[in-house]
Amino acid sequence: MPDLSPESDCASGLELFAGLDDDRVERLLDGTSRMPLEPGQEFDISATDAACCIICSGRLALAVIDQERERTIGMLERGDLLVPPMDSWAAVGPGVRCYTIEASSVLLVDRSRLDRWVSEPRLAGSLVRALSDAVADRELAVAIALEPTVERRLLLKLRQLAERWGSVTPDGIRLDLRLTHQELANMVGAVRESVTLALGRLAESGEIEVRNRALLIKIPSDGRGPGQGS
């Protein structure tokens, strides 16, 4: 096995490059730039020449700012893709902010390299699936945002987070993200005090349970996920 460059090491084990041998991955990534990011640092992909970037390590938050209110619409972790906002969105839509939740690094992929990647059938399929998953995640975030009550939005958001980052236990799905009440409030478009009250009501009703600073989200008895109705 060849020695891996830092960029190839970033790609090691990622679903995006599944089915490609190490030599091929090495060539595909040769010349790419890896950017380290400190905790809390903002990352503006539009300020780079990247057509997309791959999250190599850490975790980032993606938020929109509209009418001076910020709402977190998603979180990104290792293997996720981030693309710049479309020019038409940037001209008329709410502002987009991406920042790190913890120390992170991203791999910048320029337009010409992305075009070459798309010519690789296996890699092109992986890119489409990764971007489709990102779109579905954002659509679910929008659907949750339309729910009328803070309590309902919060429950569905916790279920959405648990589906991806939780671990299944006999009692429900354990979520160890250690999000603050303010971070949850940003996700559901509410003030921190409302989220604190809503968490208390959800605990009283048995929908969630707090265990050692982690949340246990109970699985609905009908088995439906956050995007499948109440």
Side-chain angles (χ1 to χ4, degrees), residues 107-180:
L107 195 68
L108 304 177
V109 181
D110 60 34
R111 173 60 62 186
S112 62
R113 186 180 302 275
L114 184 59
D115 289 342
R116 293 198 299 273
W117 285 12
V118 171
S119 68
E120 294 268 348
R122 189 183 295 273
L123 183 51
S126 296
L127 285 166
V128 169
R129 285 190 293 274
L131 292 172
S132 296
D133 288 346
V135 169
D137 187 65
R138 307 293 184 271
E139 288 179 341
L140 182 53
V142 171
I144 291 173
L146 296 177
E147 289 288 335
T149 67
V150 173
E151 188 173 330
R152 176 67 177 166
R153 294 199 301 273
L154 181 59
L155 176 60
L156 294 182
K157 175 56 67 175
L158 290 174
R159 288 179 181 171
Q160 182 189 18
L161 295 172
E163 281 188 358
R164 178 165 186 187
W165 284 286
S167 54
V168 178
T169 75
D171 299 321
I173 303 178
R174 182 182 176 90
L175 186 62
D176 289 300
L177 287 179
R178 306 293 177 91
L179 297 169
T180 68

Side-chain angles (χ1 to χ4, degrees), residues 19-172:
L20 300 175
D21 61 54
D22 291 333
D23 286 333
R24 187 62 184 151
V25 173
E26 183 90 10
R27 289 193 295 272
L28 287 167
L29 295 177
D30 183 44
T32 53
S33 300
R34 185 169 178 173
M35 177 183 293
L37 301 168
E38 297 297 325
Q41 181 177 342
E42 296 209 15
F43 172 59
D44 182 6
I45 187 174
S46 298
T48 73
D49 61 358
C52 77
C53 71
I54 303 170
I55 311 305
C56 294
S57 63
R59 184 170 292 144
L60 297 88
L62 189 64
V64 295
I65 307 168
D66 192 18
Q67 297 179 347
E68 300 184 354
R69 166 170 284 187
E70 180 173 308
R71 175 169 294 182
T72 303
I73 59 172
M75 290 195 298
L76 308 169
E77 64 173 2
R78 175 171 160 79
D80 285 336
L81 298 180
L82 177 66
V83 298
M86 295 175 58
D87 291 341
S88 56
W89 169 273
V92 300
V96 178
R97 187 168 86 95
C98 183
Y99 60 95
T100 60
I101 299 174
E102 58 191 50
S104 307
S105 64
V106 298
L107 195 68
L108 304 177
V109 181
D110 60 34
R111 173 60 62 186
S112 62
R113 186 180 302 275
L114 184 59
D115 289 342
R116 293 198 299 273
W117 285 12
V118 171
S119 68
E120 294 268 348
R122 189 183 295 273
L123 183 51
S126 296
L127 285 166
V128 169
R129 285 190 293 274
L131 292 172
S132 296
D133 288 346
V135 169
D137 187 65
R138 307 293 184 271
E139 288 179 341
L140 182 53
V142 171
I144 291 173
L146 296 177
E147 289 288 335
T149 67
V150 173
E151 188 173 330
R152 176 67 177 166
R153 294 199 301 273
L154 181 59
L155 176 60
L156 294 182
K157 175 56 67 175
L158 290 174
R159 288 179 181 171
Q160 182 189 18
L161 295 172
E163 281 188 358
R164 178 165 186 187
W165 284 286
S167 54
V168 178
T169 75
D171 299 321

